[in-house]
Amino acid sequence: MLENINTFASKFFVTGDPMIYGADVSIVLATVGILFVLTYFKKWGYLWREWITTVDHKKIGSMYFIASLLMLFRGGVDALLMRVQLAAPDLKFLHSEHYNEIFTTHGTIMILFMAMPFMFALFNWVVPLQIGARDVAFPFLNSVSFWLFFFGAMLFNLSFVIGGSPDAGWLSYPPLSENAFSHGPGQNFYIWGVQISGIGSLATGINFLVTILKMRAPGMKLMKMPMFTWSVLASCIIIVFAFPVLTVTLALLFVDRFFDAHFFTIDGGGNPMMYVNLIWMWGHPEVYIVVLPAFGILSEVVSTFSKKSIFGYKSMVFAMMVISVVSYFTWVHHFFTMGAGADVNTFFAISTMAIGIPTGVKVFNWLFTMYRGRIEVSQPMLWLLGFIPCFVVGGATGVMLAVAPADYQYHNSYFLVAHFHQTLIGGTVFPYLAGLYYWWPKIFGFKLNDRLGKWAFWMWNIGFYVCFMPQYALGFMGMTRRLYTYGWDMGWAPLNMVSTVGAFLMGIGFLFQGWQIVHGILYAERSKATDSWGTGRSLEWSIPSPPPVYNFAVVPQVKGFDDWYLTKEEMNKPGYKAEKPQFEAIHMPKNSGIPFVMGACWFLAGFGLTMETTFSWMIVPGVIGLIGVGLCMFARSFSYDTDYYIPVDEVKRTEASLGRVV
Amino acid sequence: MSKQKLLRRSGFFIMAALAMVLLSGCEQYIVLDPKGPVAEVEYRMIVISTILCAIVVIPVLAIFAYVVYRFRDKPGNNAPYTPHWDESKVLEIIWWGVPILIIGILGYFTARDTFALANPPKTEEPPMVIQVSSMDWKWVFHYPDQNIATVNEVHIPVGKRVEFQVTADNAPMNSFWIPQIVGQTYTMPGMAMKLGAQADHPGQYFGSGANFTGKGFAHMQFKAIAEEPAKFEQWVTNVKQTKPALTRAEYEKLYSVPGLVDKQEYSSYPKGIFEERVMENGGDNHTGHFEHKEAAKGEMSKESMNK
């Protein structure tokens, strides 16, 4: 009996590494700690009512943000572990398999469980406020999206202590990711973790697409929308077309692994090249999914802090839409060396370079928004100023990579690693942080500390260049990615050491930001002021901070682009008199526990199907989970009590308490 | 020392240290030091694209620095301030036009060289064929013309066109790369991709697998030894006379047992085993990607690789 339990445990849990045991202990302690705090302070009900069941886009945004912050920490620790192992030749810090797991989870987590939720946090926080809406088009679906993302991420992270992590790279190419070369449940964790959260992402894409097209306040024509809303629209269009490809690809890989099919193994008539094509048909647009909102954020920030309207609005919108279309026609540049032939390679090389044109145009437009403006270097603006040089260089190396014959030499080398980190950190994370600092006072009613923020900024920025510039050089020295170790003979040692130092500087930058948030919660001065920066231009700056649950007491009548700026101009005219608002009862969606339960059922299903390859009885929880998902949909289909009205009196009371004219 | 001065000085030291590290040992930048015509074409494209990108990047960075400095929000800054100026047809045309022009030029060069590498000039003599199998986690080289085989080291004659036919045998996809001689191409099970190459200078060059294949991937590096044809022939004769034969059983061990092995040389190998293994790995499902040896020496089929 005892022996049986022993064999079971050694197969079920990841064993043998002191670091993992340390993690096990800290996970148990943290869980017990959280349970204790919740029980001791009697917060279970609060947590359930205010957060878990919420359909309020602002709260869902905050939950996305917290999740992405935790995942940034996890992915960052992964990065530092790798950099320690590579700091010098022949180090024995991590053995090969452990290193392989870490770079796989690092990539997957940073893109799918850090960048995506960070982006969704900003979508949720800002888009309804910018278009004068009271919530998204489908608030219930919004909650489903979040819980699918959350449980997908949890499932993926579970592989760390149970069953073993995936180790075939963040896109898990077959045949390596097929049964023949990856027996354990690791790859299944990858498939189900990404699959479940991917369905959530697709739903979010649909949700915001509809929200932007249908929920805009009267008077806000498409060409009067703020730039960030435009960028979200562009990004959602890509999501809607790209994510189904991911879902199908992963489903096929699952069928291969689970039913021994041969979609992607060549010996049964399938073809691994098909997987590589399919995954990049999602994977390349995915890059633009995360980067387009970044462009939107920057357009808002640059205009607000240059105190000047955005330069070339039409051209910016056009550029963004061009990017969203062309992003579907570049995927082959991820594998020029797979022998598609000169004609195909030339087409994709040129389409890839071409996408650099609208992207470059945007940089010029930002520069000329600043030109003849008055640049106030606030925290959001600081990140924009860090972004521009970083992104310009990263974009240029992207064009260099697009040159197919040259790519035969860059492919899979550290030159590539340096490039995509430059565009993803410099081009995406920096702008997201700009957006975070920019909208933080709107969502939470206080600003983050300036001094700490400057430290964080410089640590991140200096750290970035110290970490990644040497990696370009390492690429030219022939160092390929995903090496867990290297010898003394190649001369790669000094640059790797420098790179590791840079990675730690960025880590310190992150710690400053963590402290900044804690500091803000404890000490920052609260302000309900609508226009937190004093120079806001779009609708979100016309309502109190944080906004009340219904956002707008009266749905605004939009006069034009930069509506709040126009209102402020009017208010400054002599003889201006504020109109007395006409309140009406506000129609709002009701909270629901179904999304959470449904997410949990997906988790159970995913976990069961993942572990089934090791323990065949795990199919039972898998099937129960799937049935649970079905039941949740059934329950939702027959619930009719899904909305309510906030009476006029209550609206008036709330508005008065926020210091508004009633 | 004032704070600013301190910052400036420490900045200087950081830059100096970086420059020292980056510039130490220029000969280590093997990608920028091609030793054969194929790698040279690739190197030339690296240079051209860097220059063309610099034409955009440098002015942008200069404008950026100027704008941020000139229009900062400081009391007493007398730079013009036009909060409503947000459109200019002329400027828009310039910054759509210039990148389009540059991409046009770069696109032309890219197309030219992509096709040039895919269709190498026909030589009277057929290229020397070397068949390459990536296995878990070793490289096996077959020399069908010489009927010898090597593991984790490849010899090629200088000044002679070589055609690598690469595949993965009972192993995940890898990528075959000898930076100073030829850029990468994927090795895939059931397919034999062709890669034309040539070394113009004798020497020992670094080669490696560039696509991740699991546990032993980091050790999949090999030496490519280019030597004068006479010396190459001498090496072949030497191998034939002094080295053991690679038996079928041993060959089977190479592909079926994942692991690392030392460099090896064999006086012969089972005839046609490379073709046989490509078929065994699923090749007959994809006849377009692999032709038998007779066909391989003739015209290249359209689907087959290139360079």
Side-chain angles (χ1 to χ4, degrees), chain A residues 275-328:
Chain A
Y275 180 94
V276 177
N277 273 284
L278 283 170
I279 199 80
W280 281 115
M281 271 179 214
W282 161 76
H284 195 81
E286 164 69 13
V287 176
Y288 288 94
I289 290 171
V290 294
V291 87
L292 280 173
F295 295 163
I297 294 165
L298 297 168
S299 305
E300 303 283 341
V301 169
V302 76
S303 161
T304 303
F305 295 105
S306 302
K307 305 180 187 89
K308 187 159 164 277
S309 46
I310 189 82
F311 197 90
Y313 176 82
K314 278 183 213 155
S315 150
M316 292 281 258
V317 169
F318 178 69
M320 216 134 59
M321 295 327 260
V322 169
I323 292 172
S324 79
V325 174
V326 179
S327 72
Y328 290 107

Side-chain angles (χ1 to χ4, degrees), chain A residues 559-621:
Chain A
K559 299 174 284 297
F561 177 64
D562 278 349
D563 189 69
W564 173 239
Y565 181 79
L566 299 177
T567 309
K568 282 194 284 189
E569 274 191 334
E570 248 170 59
M571 280 156 70
N572 287 337
K573 281 183 191 150
Y576 170 82
K577 248 181 143 178
E579 272 178 51
K580 206 169 150 52
Q582 294 296 316
F583 295 111
E584 280 172 30
I586 295 174
H587 187 205
M588 295 297 288
K590 258 191 185 164
N591 286 357
S592 167
I594 294 177
F596 177 79
V597 177
M598 194 159 140
C601 289
W602 267 115
F603 178 85
L604 190 64
F607 185 61
L609 293 172
T610 293
M611 294 305 284
E612 197 274 345
T613 47
T614 318
F615 305 105
S616 50
W617 55 268
M618 285 295 286
I619 192 74
V620 178

Side-chain angles (χ1 to χ4, degrees), chain A residues 475-512:
Chain A
F476 285 133
M477 291 182 175
M479 183 165 169
T480 52
R481 66 196 295 202
R482 297 174 173 174
L483 294 175
Y484 81 98
T485 190
Y486 54 92
W488 284 99
D489 50 336
M490 292 307 297
W492 297 340
L495 288 178
N496 270 301
M497 179 53 97
V498 173
S499 180
T500 300
V501 171
F504 274 91
L505 289 179
M506 283 194 277
I508 295 171
F510 176 77
L511 292 182
F512 271 111

Side-chain angles (χ1 to χ4, degrees), chain A residues 383 437 452-461 509 512-513 516:
Chain A
W383 287 93
Y437 288 111
L452 290 171
K454 282 204 171 122
W455 274 99
F457 173 79
W458 287 110
M459 282 294 161
W460 267 100
N461 259 265
F512 271 111
Q513 287 172 318
Q516 213 181 357

Side-chain angles (χ1 to χ4, degrees), chain B residues 121-248:
Chain B
K122 288 257 172 345
T123 46
E124 299 207 348
E125 231 188 320
M128 177 185 147
V129 173
I130 298 179
Q131 296 171 323
V132 186
S133 298
S134 68
M135 300 179 185
D136 270 347
W137 291 280
K138 55 216 139 217
W139 291 97
V140 178
F141 300 92
H142 318 67
Y143 306 71
D145 299 326
Q146 287 77 17
N147 191 32
I148 58 169
T150 55
V151 175
N152 289 342
E153 185 170 289
V154 59
H155 286 249
I156 55 172
V158 163
K160 203 167 153 44
R161 196 89 196 159
V162 177
E163 183 183 287
F164 291 107
Q165 298 177 0
V166 301
T167 192
D169 188 354
N170 195 32
M173 281 166 53
N174 208 317
S175 185
F176 179 75
W177 189 26
I178 310 173
Q180 286 176 285
I181 297 174
V182 64
Q184 289 170 45
T185 208
Y186 277 112
T187 70
M188 291 184 281
M191 298 174 224
M193 308 259 273
K194 290 173 185 172
L195 186 62
Q198 183 175 323
D200 284 344
H201 306 275
Q204 294 198 354
Y205 304 118
F206 170 76
S208 81
N211 192 59
F212 179 66
T213 51
K215 194 176 171 191
F217 165 68
H219 304 288
M220 283 191 74
Q221 296 166 348
F222 61 89
K223 229 184 258 168
I225 297 170
E227 43 202 5
E228 295 297 343
K231 227 176 147 195
F232 176 78
E233 289 306 327
Q234 202 184 333
W235 169 77
V236 171
T237 321
N238 186 37
V239 168
K240 274 188 180 296
Q241 282 167 356
T242 62
K243 301 293 171 175
L246 176 56
T247 61
R248 204 161 253 281

